[in-house]
């Protein structure tokens, strides 16, 4: 199986000298959904910002679909990697929903009917085509999260990366987002400390702490490892057995 993402021995320090990543290595195969788990300060978001070249490593490498993340490749890398930030308002800045979704493809050179079709298809994927003429700030938070996802789907990405996607979502919106991600069948990284969501959605997880990868394996097994949870300062609610929670069915298999 080909890899959507390869991260090899990644090191990074912030300008103030604080070390943030220590030899992080990760592979995500085509179609995989993988959670990056860890407490605040684990390096999760720092890793995410390397995937499309927002940050540049001190050493190590990142490849997306075999293409190195280097300054010469940034235009294509940023098409291939769809980052969905924690706050959708960081991505929505146009007067109309459709204009926000069309912004990225227009910058790739799409125009006219091609641009309109790409925009509408992305909105249909997230169930927001009826709101294409709405102002984003008139939408609910969950709706704005969907539109933010549409802005990256319109770029036809190779890899989706979502930063804390469940923050400020009610239970219905959480479930709707999970179904959208399953239906997309795209390689997906979910950067989160929401362990239950990771357990429901991602067969595999990577646990980070203090800029290092502590473990990589089946989500239920990792979350059932009490020693690992203590070492990484994570934990499920009292009484929850991760081995008894089944992942959701693919959307197309639901009755």
């Amino acid at each position: 199986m080909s890899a959507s993402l390869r991260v090899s021995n990644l090191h990074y320090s912030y300008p103030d000298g604080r070390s943030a990543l220590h030899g992080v290595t990760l592979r995500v195969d085509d179609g995989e959904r993988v959670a990056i788990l860890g407490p605040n300060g684990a390096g999760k978001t720092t890793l995410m910002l390397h995937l499309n070249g927002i940050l540049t490593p001190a050493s190590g490498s990142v490849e997306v679909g075999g293409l190195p993340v280097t300054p010469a490749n940034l235009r294509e890398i940023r098409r291939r990697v769809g980052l969905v930030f924690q706050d959708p308002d960081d991505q929505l800045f146009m007067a109309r929903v459709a204009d926000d979704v069309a912004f990225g493809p227009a910058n790739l050179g799409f125009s006219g009917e091609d641009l309109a079709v790409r925009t509408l298809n992305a909105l249909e994927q997230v169930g927001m085509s009826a709101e294409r003429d709405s102002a984003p700030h008139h939408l609910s938070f969950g709706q704005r999260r969907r539109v933010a996802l549409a802005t990256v789907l319109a770029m036809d990405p190779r890899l989706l990366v979502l930063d804390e996607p469940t923050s400020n979502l009610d239970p219905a919106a959480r479930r709707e987002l999970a179904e959208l991600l399953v239906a997309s069948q795209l390689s997906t990284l979910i950067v989160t400390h929401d362990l239950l969501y990771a357990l429901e959605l991602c067969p595999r997880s990577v646990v980070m702490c203090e800029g290092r990868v502590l473990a990589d394996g089946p989500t239920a097994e990792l979350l059932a490892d009490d020693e690992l949870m203590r070492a990484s300062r994570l934990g499920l609610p009292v009484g929850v057995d991760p081995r008894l929670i089944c992942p959701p069915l693919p959307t197309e298999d639901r009755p």
Side-chain angles (χ1 to χ4, degrees), residues 228-241:
L228 174 63
M229 291 297 97
R230 284 193 296 271
S232 57
R233 306 198 307 276
L234 295 172
L236 288 164
V238 174
V240 174
D241 186 342

Side-chain angles (χ1 to χ4, degrees), residues 199-228:
L199 183 59
E200 292 172 356
L201 192 58
C202 298
R204 174 183 159 216
S205 288
V206 174
V207 178
M208 293 184 64
C209 190
E210 297 180 349
R212 293 180 170 84
V213 173
L214 296 188
D216 182 342
T219 302
E221 292 182 15
L222 298 186
L223 299 189
D225 186 332
D226 292 337
E227 184 177 343
L228 174 63

Side-chain angles (χ1 to χ4, degrees), residues 51-52 64 76-83 157-159 161:
L51 303 185
N52 76 342
V64 179
E76 174 61 14
I77 288 295
R78 288 173 179 171
R79 185 199 67 77
R80 293 187 183 193
V81 180
L83 293 186
R158 178 80 180 262
L159 175 71
V161 184

Side-chain angles (χ1 to χ4, degrees), residues 117-129:
V117 168
R118 183 174 281 242
T119 300
L120 183 58
N121 284 345
L123 286 169
E124 287 177 343
Q125 285 184 69
V126 301
M128 291 297 292
S129 57

Side-chain angles (χ1 to χ4, degrees), residues 5-250:
L5 174 69
R6 291 180 188 268
V7 178
S8 301
N9 199 28
L10 201 66
H11 291 260
Y12 179 77
S13 295
Y14 285 104
D16 63 3
R18 180 170 54 93
S19 186
L21 297 178
H22 308 275
V24 172
T25 294
L26 170 67
R27 173 182 169 131
V28 177
D29 286 329
D30 288 344
E32 270 198 295
R33 292 193 306 277
V34 180
I36 305 293
L37 307 177
N40 292 335
K44 305 185 304 296
T45 298
T46 303
L47 171 62
M48 181 189 81
L49 295 177
H50 279 80
L51 303 185
N52 76 342
I54 294 175
L55 295 179
T56 301
S59 63
S61 64
V62 180
E63 295 181 359
V64 179
L67 184 67
V69 179
T70 62
N73 295 332
L74 283 186
R75 181 179 176 86
E76 174 61 14
I77 288 295
R78 288 173 179 171
R79 185 199 67 77
R80 293 187 183 193
V81 180
L83 293 186
V84 182
F85 292 103
Q86 182 173 349
D87 186 345
D89 294 336
D90 290 338
Q91 292 181 252
L92 306 178
F93 51 87
M94 303 293 279
R96 297 189 316 140
V97 163
D99 295 333
D100 266 317
V101 177
F103 182 83
N107 278 277
L108 291 178
F110 287 88
S111 62
E113 185 66 19
D114 289 342
L115 180 60
V117 168
R118 183 174 281 242
T119 300
L120 183 58
N121 284 345
L123 286 169
E124 287 177 343
Q125 285 184 69
V126 301
M128 291 297 292
S129 57
E131 302 293 342
R132 58 185 176 274
D133 294 321
S134 299
H137 65 274
H138 289 163
L139 303 177
S140 70
F141 191 90
Q143 288 175 317
R144 297 200 304 277
R145 178 65 54 79
R146 288 195 196 190
V147 174
L149 178 57
T151 66
V152 301
L153 291 177
M155 302 287 282
D156 191 23
R158 178 80 180 262
L159 175 71
L160 283 178
V161 184
L162 298 96
D163 188 18
E164 299 294 354
T166 60
S167 63
N168 298 313
L169 293 185
D170 61 30
R174 284 165 58 98
R175 170 56 56 189
E176 290 166 357
L177 178 62
E179 291 176 348
L180 288 173
L181 296 176
V182 171
S184 78
Q185 299 185 358
L186 285 169
S187 306
T188 304
L189 271 183
I190 296 180
V191 179
T192 187
H193 56 257
D194 186 338
L195 304 188
L196 285 175
Y197 204 66
L199 183 59
E200 292 172 356
L201 192 58
C202 298
R204 174 183 159 216
S205 288
V206 174
V207 178
M208 293 184 64
C209 190
E210 297 180 349
R212 293 180 170 84
V213 173
L214 296 188
D216 182 342
T219 302
E221 292 182 15
L222 298 186
L223 299 189
D225 186 332
D226 292 337
E227 184 177 343
L228 174 63
M229 291 297 97
R230 284 193 296 271
S232 57
R233 306 198 307 276
L234 295 172
L236 288 164
V238 174
V240 174
D241 186 342
R243 292 160 297 193
L244 300 180
I245 298 179
C246 296
L249 290 170

